[in-house]
Amino acid sequence: EPLMEDREWNEAILGILRKDSHYDVRAYDFVNKSVEYAIGREARGSRPSGNRHVSGSELVRGVLEYAVSVYSVFVCDVFRYWNLQAGRDVGNVVYNMIDAGLLSAGPNDAIEDFDCADDLIFLAGEILRRSRASVPRVGDPAPALPALD
């Protein structure tokens, strides 16, 4: 599947922001990267090779883990600034991207699948508190997270 050109991506994101400016523009790029992270995370588990679908709760977990690995102690501030407060906010960003043709959903997917986490900021803080390392680095695995299902 060919990669979307930057110009096409930017136009699609600008179209989303014209309809829904609730989330910071950078949240869209971050959630897109989190999708790739979550797919890779699940592929390392028991997921069959080649399956590029993740559930809402798997994506929320991926968003949390990836955010902690990228933003470390600033993750809570980043989530606040981007207005990503709960799993449903991640779902809203995802479904805006689906509507714009940037992501796709399976027939059994629903926005309610993202209702697995009421407080992303609290959960990100918990990941940081449980971390053995003082400052995680990009690519480091995030510490264990409570079950979101």
Side-chain angles (χ1 to χ4, degrees):
E1 141 181 359
L3 295 174
M4 181 175 277
E5 296 292 325
D6 285 344
R7 189 173 71 85
E8 293 174 272
W9 169 267
N10 291 339
E11 286 175 7
I13 296 300
L14 287 174
I16 291 170
L17 293 173
R18 278 188 216 103
K19 294 177 191 172
D20 181 0
S21 61
H22 188 72
Y23 304 102
D24 189 86
V25 64
R26 288 164 286 203
Y28 288 92
D29 185 54
F30 179 79
V31 167
N32 191 54
K33 289 176 181 170
S34 296
V35 168
E36 292 301 316
Y37 173 88
I39 289 169
R41 180 186 185 283
E42 295 304 316
R44 289 187 296 274
S46 59
R47 181 68 45 97
S49 179
N51 185 346
R52 294 190 46 84
H53 178 270
V54 289
S55 70
S57 62
E58 290 167 340
L59 182 51
V60 169
R61 178 182 295 275
V63 163
L64 284 163
E65 291 178 358
Y66 186 61
V68 168
S69 73
V70 173
Y71 297 108
S72 184
V73 296
F74 301 106
V75 66
C76 298
D77 294 326
V78 169
F79 279 166
R80 280 187 198 95
Y81 189 79
W82 290 350
N83 214 12
L84 295 176
Q85 307 285 322
R88 179 59 77 104
D89 292 312
V90 173
N92 289 338
V93 168
V94 166
Y95 273 84
N96 284 344
M97 293 171 71
I98 289 168
D99 291 345
L102 299 174
L103 294 176
S104 60
N108 298 321
D109 292 332
I111 189 77
E112 292 80 16
D113 298 340
F114 292 87
D115 290 342
C116 57
D118 292 333
D119 191 341
L120 293 181
I121 293 166
F122 172 78
L123 290 170
E126 283 299 300
I127 292 172
L128 285 171
R129 279 188 281 284
R130 292 178 183 192
S131 176
R132 299 282 184 235
S134 58
V135 179
R137 299 202 172 158
V138 174
D140 285 353
L145 180 70
L148 296 177
D149 295 321

